[in-house]
Amino acid sequence: MTYTNFKLVTDSDGIALLTWDVPDRSMNVITLPGIEELSAIVEQLVADAGVKGVVVTSAKEAFCAGADITLLESLGRTFATFVKEHGEEQAALRLFEESRKLSLLYRRIETCGKPWVAAINGTAVGGGFELALACHHRVAAQNPKTRLGLPEIKVGLFPGAGGTIRISRMLAPADALQFLLKGDQIRVERAKAMKLIDAVVPPDELITAAKGWIKAGGKAKNPWDVDGFRLPGGLVFSKAGMQTFPAANAIYRRETYDNYPAARAILQVVYEGLQLPMDLALRVESRWFAKILRTPEAGAMMRSLFVSMQDLNKGARRPANIPPTKFKRVGIIGAGFMGAGIGYVTAQAGIDVVLIDRDQDSADKGKAQSHKLITERVNKGRATAADRDALMSRITAAADYAALRDCDLVIEAVFEDRSVKNETYAKAQAAMGTEVIFGSNTSTLPITSLAQEFKDPSRFIGIHFFSPVERMMLVEIILGKDTGNAALAAALDYVRAIRKTPIVVNDSRGFYTSRVVGTYLREGHLMLTEGVPAAMIENVGRMAGMPVGPLALNDEVAVDLAWKIVKATEADLGPEAIDARQKALLTAMVEKLGRFGRKNRKGFYDYPERGQKKLWPGLADLQPAKLDPDTIDVQELKDRLLGIQALETARCFEENVLTDVREADVGSILGFGFAPFSGGTLSYIDMMGAKHFVALCERLAAKHGTRFAPSGLLVDMATRNETFYGRFAPGPRVKAA
């Protein structure tokens, strides 16, 4: 029989080699047709007495990239439709049955009576790794690029095809919970040390080793199906169990503030599953998986952190009919912290870099930053000395702008001062090619006005990186009034080459990310001036879902920078454009007290040379009044911190700064850490509903001022009962290149 997604060949020893090869895909993914096909193959192999065992492998570079998330998304939409047609109970039952098909299939493989071996030739994650776990033996090819893991938690889900139950029977509960809750993807050596795989062999010996295990009498039972099996960490209700689960629950709440339903489900499934026989434990897992699929958090996270991000990474906003740019050499002007970071990630992508600064010593210091970063990776075993040598050989430090002559792209990352930038542009244009695209890493200065100093504004574009460049995955591309499609295409090609996620926005003061995160900082400042205890502001920021509180974040970006932005805004737009209370607070911090943030070890926090940072006690002296924390509405503080960011994003959308809902949401999560469980700033509004969000804004505006007044677009959407993803649905998905 011929199959579409698999190739099946049985050798003379009766060992079937099942090779996974999904057509028209660069990687194998789990789809509904694939599940049905694999199920038919399993029954065929079980019925064939001549088959003694099965080896499953992949014809592609990777083993499997997991489930097609769009399939899981569609299950959620189907549930909503089924509720309307058949009621909640029948819809829940239907979702449960549909969502556990893969779990039942893997259990059938596990209990079919014939030994199965996973011959893992490359990366296996998600449902692909769950298939390997269901097999009776796992052999991996030696490959430094291979990663194994269950990263579902990162898109609002948890392993629902048996992975949660099997991992908790292979590892002690504490280790299992850490593996599942972190969602890390590990190397084959680490997986073998954890006993998640059984052997690591050279690639050309993979299939031979897998078949050899079957020939040597490999058993068709996993340990948990053998009489007398003992759990690695002992029983739940034991001394060891009681040392694990109460602590795990406390850590979960400390880290998530109960914002992530999937994380709670993992704790519940492991706890319950370890007390049940295998088949009943798998049923519990499936029930929780179906429940999590129905949550708005899972739907929003899957959409933003997988589907939308994938679309943007593949070039959803790239202009058509413009040939791709292949970068051989990129020039970076400014070898400070940002410029050095841009140079590092560019060289890491295999592109030659020219790093220019005002003198050779400054340029050399910038290059030394790359040496420091790659050495840290070498010391952690994530790179080799040869990798370091190769990377450093790609970076040329220079003080002479003539070195830009052969560059395919030039990016400036000099001080945020218009006169300094203008001088840079003049020198660069005298040296670089006339057709080369020029990018500015400015975070606040309007691109249109900067481009006026450029001979051909159509080749000028904003390429805004985030700090630290090597860790932050977002790049904000800003279109000036005259920026051409060729510049946009080249910028997107470059961002893809350095393996970061781009969003494209139109020019405005602060663009999108800086403008919106500024509202978060301002709200923290204003809470402080109102008398809210600083510790409460910071804790509530994290409770709301932000990675750090607004005061800590301001220290990271620099308190004096926030002060300069407030002053510049007042100078350009007048005193009504700023809040006098915020200006007074920042002026006191910067001018009177010299507290600039982490960079000079004193801001809203103190940063001792040894030990952890601590909130500066003197903040209380800057508060005109002090509120009793027991009288403060914590939910209102959370609403203010998240709501003001969502509201400002809606304004950006209404003002055409943003034009794609996907970019708003992905940009908010990757750029400034907006509560990932919400799916992003616009998904936050959609999750709440426009009517409820407008009502919230009106309540906050009545109490705290017009900065919370809902925009005209939001009021209109509330009247029509619309959502952003309904009214402004993004275009068709981009196919993988």
Side-chain angles (χ1 to χ4, degrees), residues 34-55:
I35 293 172
E36 293 171 348
E37 191 172 298
L38 180 57
S39 182
I41 291 171
V42 172
E43 297 310 319
Q44 176 188 333
L45 294 172
V46 169
D48 188 343
V51 173
K52 307 303 181 185
V54 184
V55 173

Side-chain angles (χ1 to χ4, degrees), residues 556-569:
E556 295 296 328
V557 300
V559 180
D560 60 326
L561 176 60
W563 171 69
K564 289 174 183 176
I565 291 172
V566 168
K567 289 206 307 178
T569 302

